[in-house]
Amino acid sequence: MGEPNFFSLRGQIAVVTGGGQSIGEGIARRLTAAGARVAVLDINAANARRVAASIAGLGLHCDVSSRPSVEAALSEARRALGPIDILVNNAGIVGKTARLQELDEKDLDEVYAVNLKGVFLMCRAVIGEMLERRYGRILNVASIAGKEGNPTLIPYSSTKAAVIALTKALAKEVAGLGDVTVNSISPAVVFTKIHETMPKATIDYMVSKIPMGRTGTIEEVAALVHYLVSREASFTTGQCYDISGGRATY
Ligand SMILES: NC(=O)c1ccc[n+]([C@@H]2O[C@H](COP(=O)([O-])OP(=O)(O)OC[C@H]3O[C@@H](n4cnc5c(N)ncnc54)[C@H](O)[C@@H]3O)[C@@H](O)[C@H]2O)c1
């Protein structure tokens, strides 16, 4: 008698956006280790292919802010791998770090296009198929910035708050129509390339707010995502899970 295969994703097809590096790469690796076949989508096609090659997955160029690009990538993923069971919307950008008076409309639009419209387009492109098959798991990577609001990060914080609300609204739209769940996570700081262009003062502020006094790891985030996209997580929807070392106050 073998051990029960808890949280196995064997036979399932997953799509991870922004999977070409950092957190998305870690999620793609974790879901593969659990048995899924993973399509790694990224605006950086070379990185998507590099990660995919190392996990026997499929690496595809995709700009999540462009509807034609989203549709082309998902068609290719379905053709090569089959219908999509799991969608992880991880692609995101920080945008300009500055106070409100120093931001213009373009700074907001740029972040909105990737962080919010990208999630909207990706969810819209898979939800019909999930409802038809009466199974699906959508996981949106928001941020603790979306709950707490970080100074000098208004576009980022507000788009992440919108992702949390989109998650709740979509989850309620599809609740009870088969086993389709939609959840989000809010990580606090996990050191990755996303911080390379951020001023040190902004990073120090965010780290100082974490009660555990440390930053998170990619592996910790990937483990939470794995649980939330597993078959076992069938009575949890519309939630935002914090992975913030205790930072969230609600
Ligand atoms: N690192 C952190 O501290 C932290 C904290 C909270 C939330 N997050 C969120 O986690 C997610 C991943 O962050 P990360 O730290 O791994 O960042 P990262 O910059 O290292 O990786 C982001 C990936 O998304 C891709 N990407 C950017 N724009 C895209 C687009 N238009 N279409 C497709 N792919 C695109 C990039 O090429 C890159 O591979 C983001 O949504 C981010 O907001 C990160």
Short mmCIF file of all heavy atoms in Angstrom, two decimals, residues 130-170:
data_model
loop_
_atom_site.label_atom_id
_atom_site.label_comp_id
_atom_site.label_asym_id
_atom_site.label_seq_id
_atom_site.Cartn_x
_atom_site.Cartn_y
_atom_site.Cartn_z
N MET A 130 -13.56 26.24 -18.84
CA MET A 130 -13.61 25.65 -17.50
C MET A 130 -15.06 25.35 -17.10
O MET A 130 -15.37 24.30 -16.54
CB MET A 130 -12.95 26.56 -16.47
CG MET A 130 -11.43 26.60 -16.60
SD MET A 130 -10.65 27.67 -15.37
CE MET A 130 -8.91 27.29 -15.66
N LEU A 131 -15.97 26.28 -17.43
CA LEU A 131 -17.37 26.07 -17.07
C LEU A 131 -17.96 24.90 -17.88
O LEU A 131 -18.71 24.09 -17.35
CB LEU A 131 -18.18 27.35 -17.31
CG LEU A 131 -17.87 28.48 -16.33
CD1 LEU A 131 -18.58 29.77 -16.74
CD2 LEU A 131 -18.27 28.10 -14.90
N GLU A 132 -17.58 24.83 -19.13
CA GLU A 132 -18.06 23.74 -19.98
C GLU A 132 -17.61 22.39 -19.43
O GLU A 132 -18.37 21.43 -19.41
CB GLU A 132 -17.44 23.90 -21.36
CG GLU A 132 -18.39 23.72 -22.52
CD GLU A 132 -17.74 24.28 -23.76
OE1 GLU A 132 -16.90 23.56 -24.33
OE2 GLU A 132 -18.05 25.44 -24.12
N ARG A 133 -16.36 22.33 -18.97
CA ARG A 133 -15.81 21.07 -18.43
C ARG A 133 -16.13 20.91 -16.95
O ARG A 133 -15.78 19.92 -16.33
CB ARG A 133 -14.30 21.02 -18.65
CG ARG A 133 -13.93 21.07 -20.13
CD ARG A 133 -12.44 21.20 -20.32
NE ARG A 133 -11.72 20.02 -19.88
CZ ARG A 133 -10.66 20.03 -19.08
NH1 ARG A 133 -10.18 21.18 -18.61
NH2 ARG A 133 -10.07 18.92 -18.74
N ARG A 134 -16.76 21.93 -16.38
CA ARG A 134 -17.16 21.94 -14.96
C ARG A 134 -15.98 21.70 -14.01
O ARG A 134 -16.11 21.16 -12.92
CB ARG A 134 -18.30 20.93 -14.70
CG ARG A 134 -19.55 21.27 -15.49
CD ARG A 134 -20.70 20.33 -15.22
NE ARG A 134 -21.24 20.44 -13.86
CZ ARG A 134 -22.04 21.42 -13.44
NH1 ARG A 134 -22.37 22.40 -14.26
NH2 ARG A 134 -22.49 21.43 -12.20
N TYR A 135 -14.79 22.11 -14.48
CA TYR A 135 -13.61 22.04 -13.60
C TYR A 135 -12.63 23.13 -13.97
O TYR A 135 -12.38 23.39 -15.17
CB TYR A 135 -12.89 20.68 -13.71
CG TYR A 135 -11.79 20.61 -12.67
CD1 TYR A 135 -12.08 20.29 -11.36
CD2 TYR A 135 -10.48 20.99 -12.99
CE1 TYR A 135 -11.10 20.32 -10.38
CE2 TYR A 135 -9.49 21.03 -12.02
CZ TYR A 135 -9.81 20.69 -10.71
OH TYR A 135 -8.85 20.75 -9.74
N GLY A 136 -12.05 23.74 -12.97
CA GLY A 136 -10.98 24.71 -13.25
C GLY A 136 -10.48 25.35 -11.97
O GLY A 136 -11.19 25.42 -10.95
N ARG A 137 -9.25 25.78 -12.03
CA ARG A 137 -8.64 26.50 -10.91
C ARG A 137 -7.95 27.74 -11.47
O ARG A 137 -7.08 27.62 -12.34
CB ARG A 137 -7.56 25.62 -10.23
CG ARG A 137 -8.08 24.36 -9.57
CD ARG A 137 -8.71 24.67 -8.22
NE ARG A 137 -9.22 23.47 -7.58
CZ ARG A 137 -10.50 23.06 -7.65
NH1 ARG A 137 -11.39 23.73 -8.36
NH2 ARG A 137 -10.88 21.98 -7.01
N ILE A 138 -8.36 28.91 -10.97
CA ILE A 138 -7.68 30.14 -11.36
C ILE A 138 -7.05 30.74 -10.11
O ILE A 138 -7.69 30.82 -9.05
CB ILE A 138 -8.67 31.15 -11.99
CG1 ILE A 138 -9.24 30.58 -13.31
CG2 ILE A 138 -7.97 32.49 -12.26
CD1 ILE A 138 -10.24 31.48 -14.02
N LEU A 139 -5.80 31.11 -10.24
CA LEU A 139 -5.08 31.70 -9.11
C LEU A 139 -4.42 32.99 -9.60
O LEU A 139 -3.62 32.97 -10.53
CB LEU A 139 -4.03 30.70 -8.60
CG LEU A 139 -3.28 30.98 -7.30
CD1 LEU A 139 -2.22 32.05 -7.47
CD2 LEU A 139 -4.23 31.37 -6.16
N ASN A 140 -4.79 34.08 -8.98
CA ASN A 140 -4.24 35.38 -9.37
C ASN A 140 -3.23 35.87 -8.33
O ASN A 140 -3.51 35.88 -7.13
CB ASN A 140 -5.37 36.41 -9.49
CG ASN A 140 -6.38 36.01 -10.56
OD1 ASN A 140 -5.99 35.47 -11.59
ND2 ASN A 140 -7.65 36.26 -10.30
N VAL A 141 -2.06 36.26 -8.81
CA VAL A 141 -1.03 36.76 -7.89
C VAL A 141 -1.25 38.27 -7.72
O VAL A 141 -0.98 39.05 -8.62
CB VAL A 141 0.39 36.46 -8.40
CG1 VAL A 141 1.43 37.00 -7.42
CG2 VAL A 141 0.58 34.95 -8.58
N ALA A 142 -1.79 38.63 -6.56
CA ALA A 142 -1.98 40.05 -6.23
C ALA A 142 -0.75 40.50 -5.45
O ALA A 142 0.38 40.14 -5.80
CB ALA A 142 -3.27 40.23 -5.44
N SER A 143 -0.92 41.25 -4.40
CA SER A 143 0.21 41.69 -3.58
C SER A 143 -0.33 42.29 -2.29
O SER A 143 -1.44 42.83 -2.26
CB SER A 143 1.01 42.77 -4.32
OG SER A 143 1.94 43.37 -3.42
N ILE A 144 0.49 42.23 -1.26
CA ILE A 144 0.12 42.87 0.00
C ILE A 144 -0.05 44.38 -0.23
O ILE A 144 -0.83 45.04 0.46
CB ILE A 144 1.17 42.58 1.09
CG1 ILE A 144 0.56 42.73 2.48
CG2 ILE A 144 2.41 43.41 0.93
CD1 ILE A 144 -0.39 41.65 2.84
N ALA A 145 0.60 44.91 -1.28
CA ALA A 145 0.44 46.33 -1.63
C ALA A 145 -1.02 46.63 -1.97
O ALA A 145 -1.49 47.75 -1.76
CB ALA A 145 1.33 46.69 -2.82
N GLY A 146 -1.74 45.63 -2.47
CA GLY A 146 -3.14 45.82 -2.83
C GLY A 146 -4.05 45.88 -1.62
O GLY A 146 -5.19 46.35 -1.70
N LYS A 147 -3.59 45.40 -0.48
CA LYS A 147 -4.40 45.46 0.75
C LYS A 147 -3.97 46.60 1.64
O LYS A 147 -4.79 47.22 2.30
CB LYS A 147 -4.28 44.14 1.52
CG LYS A 147 -4.76 42.94 0.72
CD LYS A 147 -4.62 41.66 1.49
CE LYS A 147 -5.84 41.42 2.36
NZ LYS A 147 -5.79 40.09 3.00
N GLU A 148 -2.67 46.84 1.69
CA GLU A 148 -2.15 47.83 2.63
C GLU A 148 -1.87 49.18 1.97
O GLU A 148 -1.92 50.21 2.64
CB GLU A 148 -0.85 47.30 3.25
CG GLU A 148 -1.02 45.97 3.96
CD GLU A 148 -1.65 46.11 5.33
OE1 GLU A 148 -1.15 46.90 6.13
OE2 GLU A 148 -2.66 45.43 5.60
N GLY A 149 -1.55 49.17 0.66
CA GLY A 149 -1.19 50.40 -0.03
C GLY A 149 0.23 50.81 0.33
O GLY A 149 0.52 51.12 1.50
N ASN A 150 1.12 50.81 -0.63
CA ASN A 150 2.50 51.23 -0.35
C ASN A 150 2.74 52.62 -0.92
O ASN A 150 2.48 52.84 -2.11
CB ASN A 150 3.51 50.24 -0.96
CG ASN A 150 3.63 48.97 -0.15
OD1 ASN A 150 3.38 48.95 1.05
ND2 ASN A 150 4.00 47.89 -0.81
N PRO A 151 3.27 53.56 -0.11
CA PRO A 151 3.56 54.88 -0.64
C PRO A 151 4.56 54.79 -1.78
O PRO A 151 5.43 53.91 -1.76
CB PRO A 151 4.16 55.63 0.55
CG PRO A 151 4.54 54.58 1.55
CD PRO A 151 3.65 53.41 1.30
N THR A 152 4.43 55.64 -2.75
CA THR A 152 5.21 55.72 -4.00
C THR A 152 4.90 54.57 -4.96
O THR A 152 5.54 54.43 -5.98
CB THR A 152 6.75 55.79 -3.78
OG1 THR A 152 7.23 54.52 -3.31
CG2 THR A 152 7.15 56.89 -2.82
N LEU A 153 3.90 53.78 -4.62
CA LEU A 153 3.51 52.68 -5.51
C LEU A 153 1.99 52.72 -5.76
O LEU A 153 1.30 51.71 -5.59
CB LEU A 153 3.92 51.33 -4.92
CG LEU A 153 5.41 50.99 -4.93
CD1 LEU A 153 5.69 49.69 -4.19
CD2 LEU A 153 5.95 50.89 -6.37
N ILE A 154 1.47 53.88 -6.13
CA ILE A 154 0.02 53.99 -6.32
C ILE A 154 -0.48 53.16 -7.50
O ILE A 154 -1.46 52.41 -7.34
CB ILE A 154 -0.40 55.48 -6.43
CG1 ILE A 154 -0.33 56.12 -5.04
CG2 ILE A 154 -1.80 55.62 -7.03
CD1 ILE A 154 -0.65 57.60 -5.01
N PRO A 155 0.14 53.21 -8.67
CA PRO A 155 -0.38 52.37 -9.76
C PRO A 155 -0.33 50.89 -9.39
O PRO A 155 -1.31 50.16 -9.57
CB PRO A 155 0.55 52.69 -10.94
CG PRO A 155 1.08 54.05 -10.65
CD PRO A 155 1.20 54.10 -9.15
N TYR A 156 0.79 50.46 -8.85
CA TYR A 156 0.96 49.04 -8.49
C TYR A 156 -0.06 48.64 -7.42
O TYR A 156 -0.79 47.67 -7.58
CB TYR A 156 2.38 48.82 -7.99
CG TYR A 156 2.69 47.38 -7.64
CD1 TYR A 156 2.92 46.45 -8.65
CD2 TYR A 156 2.76 46.95 -6.33
CE1 TYR A 156 3.21 45.13 -8.35
CE2 TYR A 156 3.04 45.63 -6.02
CZ TYR A 156 3.28 44.72 -7.03
OH TYR A 156 3.56 43.40 -6.72
N SER A 157 -0.11 49.40 -6.32
CA SER A 157 -1.00 49.04 -5.21
C SER A 157 -2.45 48.99 -5.67
O SER A 157 -3.20 48.06 -5.33
CB SER A 157 -0.89 50.07 -4.07
OG SER A 157 0.44 50.16 -3.60
N SER A 158 -2.86 49.98 -6.47
CA SER A 158 -4.27 50.03 -6.85
C SER A 158 -4.64 48.94 -7.85
O SER A 158 -5.74 48.39 -7.79
CB SER A 158 -4.64 51.42 -7.38
OG SER A 158 -3.79 51.78 -8.43
N THR A 159 -3.72 48.58 -8.75
CA THR A 159 -4.06 47.49 -9.68
C THR A 159 -4.12 46.16 -8.92
O THR A 159 -4.93 45.29 -9.25
CB THR A 159 -3.07 47.36 -10.86
OG1 THR A 159 -1.74 47.21 -10.36
CG2 THR A 159 -3.15 48.57 -11.78
N LYS A 160 -3.28 46.01 -7.91
CA LYS A 160 -3.31 44.75 -7.15
C LYS A 160 -4.59 44.65 -6.31
O LYS A 160 -5.15 43.57 -6.14
CB LYS A 160 -2.06 44.62 -6.30
CG LYS A 160 -0.78 44.40 -7.12
CD LYS A 160 -0.83 43.12 -7.94
CE LYS A 160 0.51 42.79 -8.60
NZ LYS A 160 0.46 41.54 -9.38
N ALA A 161 -5.06 45.80 -5.77
CA ALA A 161 -6.35 45.79 -5.07
C ALA A 161 -7.46 45.39 -6.04
O ALA A 161 -8.37 44.63 -5.70
CB ALA A 161 -6.63 47.18 -4.49
N ALA A 162 -7.36 45.87 -7.27
CA ALA A 162 -8.36 45.53 -8.28
C ALA A 162 -8.32 44.04 -8.62
O ALA A 162 -9.36 43.42 -8.85
CB ALA A 162 -8.13 46.37 -9.54
N VAL A 163 -7.14 43.45 -8.60
CA VAL A 163 -7.03 42.01 -8.88
C VAL A 163 -7.73 41.21 -7.77
O VAL A 163 -8.41 40.22 -8.03
CB VAL A 163 -5.54 41.59 -9.00
CG1 VAL A 163 -5.39 40.07 -8.96
CG2 VAL A 163 -4.95 42.15 -10.29
N ILE A 164 -7.59 41.69 -6.53
CA ILE A 164 -8.26 40.99 -5.41
C ILE A 164 -9.78 41.07 -5.61
O ILE A 164 -10.49 40.07 -5.45
CB ILE A 164 -7.83 41.61 -4.06
CG1 ILE A 164 -6.33 41.35 -3.82
CG2 ILE A 164 -8.66 41.03 -2.91
CD1 ILE A 164 -5.72 42.12 -2.64
N ALA A 165 -10.28 42.23 -6.02
CA ALA A 165 -11.73 42.40 -6.23
C ALA A 165 -12.21 41.62 -7.46
O ALA A 165 -13.30 41.03 -7.43
CB ALA A 165 -12.05 43.89 -6.36
N LEU A 166 -11.43 41.63 -8.52
CA LEU A 166 -11.78 40.84 -9.72
C LEU A 166 -11.93 39.37 -9.33
O LEU A 166 -12.87 38.68 -9.73
CB LEU A 166 -10.70 41.02 -10.79
CG LEU A 166 -10.88 40.31 -12.14
CD1 LEU A 166 -10.06 41.03 -13.23
CD2 LEU A 166 -10.51 38.84 -12.13
N THR A 167 -10.99 38.90 -8.51
CA THR A 167 -11.00 37.50 -8.05
C THR A 167 -12.30 37.19 -7.31
O THR A 167 -12.95 36.17 -7.57
CB THR A 167 -9.80 37.27 -7.10
OG1 THR A 167 -8.60 37.59 -7.81
CG2 THR A 167 -9.76 35.84 -6.59
N LYS A 168 -12.67 38.08 -6.38
CA LYS A 168 -13.88 37.83 -5.58
C LYS A 168 -15.13 37.84 -6.47
O LYS A 168 -16.02 37.02 -6.32
CB LYS A 168 -14.02 38.91 -4.50
CG LYS A 168 -12.98 38.80 -3.39
CD LYS A 168 -13.13 39.98 -2.43
CE LYS A 168 -11.98 40.08 -1.46
NZ LYS A 168 -12.02 39.11 -0.36
N ALA A 169 -15.19 38.81 -7.39
CA ALA A 169 -16.36 38.95 -8.25
C ALA A 169 -16.51 37.75 -9.18
O ALA A 169 -17.59 37.16 -9.32
CB ALA A 169 -16.27 40.25 -9.05
N LEU A 170 -15.40 37.35 -9.82
CA LEU A 170 -15.46 36.21 -10.74
C LEU A 170 -15.79 34.92 -9.98
O LEU A 170 -16.58 34.08 -10.45
CB LEU A 170 -14.13 36.08 -11.51
CG LEU A 170 -14.04 34.89 -12.46
CD1 LEU A 170 -15.13 34.91 -13.52
CD2 LEU A 170 -12.66 34.85 -13.14
#
